[in-house]
Amino acid sequence: MRSLIGLIAVVVAATFYLYSLSLYLPAGPRRRPDPAAETQHVDLEESEQPADSSEELSRLKFPSDLEDLRSLAELLQFYKTEHTGYVLLLFCSAYLYKQSFAIPGSSFLNILAGAIFGPYQGLLLACLLTTVGSTMCYLLSQAFGKQYIMNLFPDKVSMLQKKVKDNKDCLFFFLLFLRFFPMSPNWFLNMSAPIIDIPITFFFCSVFIGLLPYNFICVQTGVMLSEVSSLDDLFSWERLLQLLAIACMALLPGALIRRFSQKRLKLDVQMQNGLIEDKKVK
């Protein structure tokens, strides 16, 4: 009971911090004047300013679809011109909130990182935040959630624990394999890792390296979405070459890990309903 109260307190405190941060939205830079509005009176424009501010504040929410993503990317790009520090703090806080409490939707934030910060800074941010957020989830599970995870997912935890013991001599490559080919969801791996005695150093490095191709794809998608204005731009030779590079980046590490796994890892498993199960030996 004490662990549940502690977890609720952490969630409430983090939620309050994120909500408070979104309330202190700084004054945005001046928008480019609209030619159609130049003839309007100055007093009328000033009277409309509070409505615009409240409208922008209401758009600060986690994106749930492509339309929300585009709208949020446009707003944060607008504020980033004069409030880079605030946008960076808000983005990092929101990302860590999602990762720490295993809330789905990190792919949208990875895409948003590419749209706001560009291909290089966006990728670095996505990799660091994914790793730090997953490690925070690991620590929260270790401190508060062991008993509840064991009660909720007893079969999945015991099966994963057995596979970890079978591959103890090459545990790091086994963890990389699970990240490249997620037989169990990443959120479950993050929460169950301390229960099955995976060292935090192995966990940290495996998340950073193992999710690099996935983060790369999402960030590059965000860069393309922010630059593409029509279907003609999407199917240009430059975009097609970028898509080819993305595909190679995503497939190469997975192919190397799969080849290594066939030689050393004990992975006599199959994917069924998101669970790791032993294949029946005929």
Side-chain angles (χ1 to χ4, degrees):
M1 184 65 181
R2 184 177 300 176
S3 61
L4 180 60
I5 294 175
L7 180 60
I8 292 175
V10 172
V11 174
V12 170
T15 304
F16 178 77
Y17 161 75
L18 190 60
Y19 177 73
S20 300
L21 185 63
S22 67
L23 288 180
Y24 289 97
L25 186 68
R30 292 182 177 272
R31 295 181 183 273
R32 292 181 179 179
D34 186 359
E38 287 182 351
T39 58
Q40 294 181 356
H41 196 269
V42 177
D43 294 338
L44 181 60
E45 293 179 353
E46 292 178 353
S47 65
E48 292 176 351
Q49 184 63 32
D52 294 338
S53 300
S54 62
E55 180 182 354
E56 290 178 351
L57 182 60
S58 67
R59 292 165 62 188
L60 284 178
K61 62 179 182 178
F62 287 113
S64 57
D65 53 34
L66 188 58
E67 183 178 352
D68 289 345
L69 185 65
R70 285 184 179 274
S71 176
L72 184 59
E74 180 185 355
L75 175 64
L76 293 181
Q77 284 173 339
F78 170 69
Y79 272 92
K80 183 174 175 288
T81 57
E82 291 187 6
H83 303 287
T84 304
Y86 173 82
V87 171
L88 181 62
L89 178 61
L90 180 64
F91 178 81
C92 292
S93 301
Y95 201 115
L96 292 177
Y97 182 89
K98 265 186 172 290
Q99 284 291 109
S100 300
F101 301 121
I103 302 174
S106 61
S107 58
F108 282 114
L109 294 183
N110 287 338
I111 295 173
L112 190 62
I116 299 173
F117 300 103
Y120 304 111
Q121 293 181 354
L123 179 60
L124 180 61
L125 266 179
C127 291
L128 288 177
L129 293 174
T130 299
T131 306
V132 174
S134 297
T135 304
M136 291 173 67
C137 183
Y138 176 107
L139 295 174
L140 285 173
S141 175
Q142 187 178 51
F144 304 113
K146 285 187 175 183
Q147 176 184 353
Y148 302 104
I149 295 171
M150 287 292 296
N151 292 336
L152 290 173
F153 311 102
D155 296 334
K156 294 183 69 174
V157 171
S158 61
M159 182 62 66
L160 188 58
Q161 190 169 30
K162 177 180 181 300
K163 292 304 172 184
V164 167
K165 290 181 179 179
D166 291 342
N167 295 278
K168 195 172 183 178
D169 58 335
C170 51
L171 179 59
F172 182 71
F173 288 97
F174 174 70
L175 295 176
L176 283 183
F177 183 90
L178 291 182
R179 295 296 178 177
F180 282 123
F181 306 101
M183 299 176 184
S184 288
N186 282 313
W187 61 265
F188 177 75
L189 292 176
N190 296 342
M191 292 192 300
S192 61
I195 301 174
I196 57 181
D197 298 325
I198 293 177
I200 193 170
T201 52
F202 278 18
F203 176 86
F204 186 93
C205 296
S206 66
V207 172
F208 186 88
I209 299 173
L211 293 181
L212 181 60
Y214 170 77
N215 290 334
F216 178 81
I217 292 173
C218 293
V219 169
Q220 290 297 321
T221 302
V223 173
M224 293 176 64
L225 284 177
S226 64
E227 295 176 352
V228 169
S229 58
S230 67
L231 289 178
D232 293 335
D233 294 337
L234 183 61
F235 291 104
S236 65
W237 282 108
E238 181 181 358
R239 299 300 174 197
L240 292 176
L241 289 175
Q242 286 183 357
L243 290 172
L244 180 61
I246 292 172
C248 292
M249 177 66 181
L251 293 176
L252 181 59
L256 294 176
I257 292 296
R258 182 183 289 275
R259 185 171 182 179
F260 177 85
S261 68
Q262 292 174 350
K263 296 180 179 179
R264 295 195 59 185
L265 299 182
K266 299 175 183 178
L267 295 169
D268 190 20
V269 296
Q270 67 178 358
M271 181 86 172
Q272 183 176 358
N273 296 327
L275 302 178
I276 303 178
E277 297 184 357
D278 288 327
K279 288 183 178 178
K280 295 181 180 179
V281 179
K282 297 184 179 179

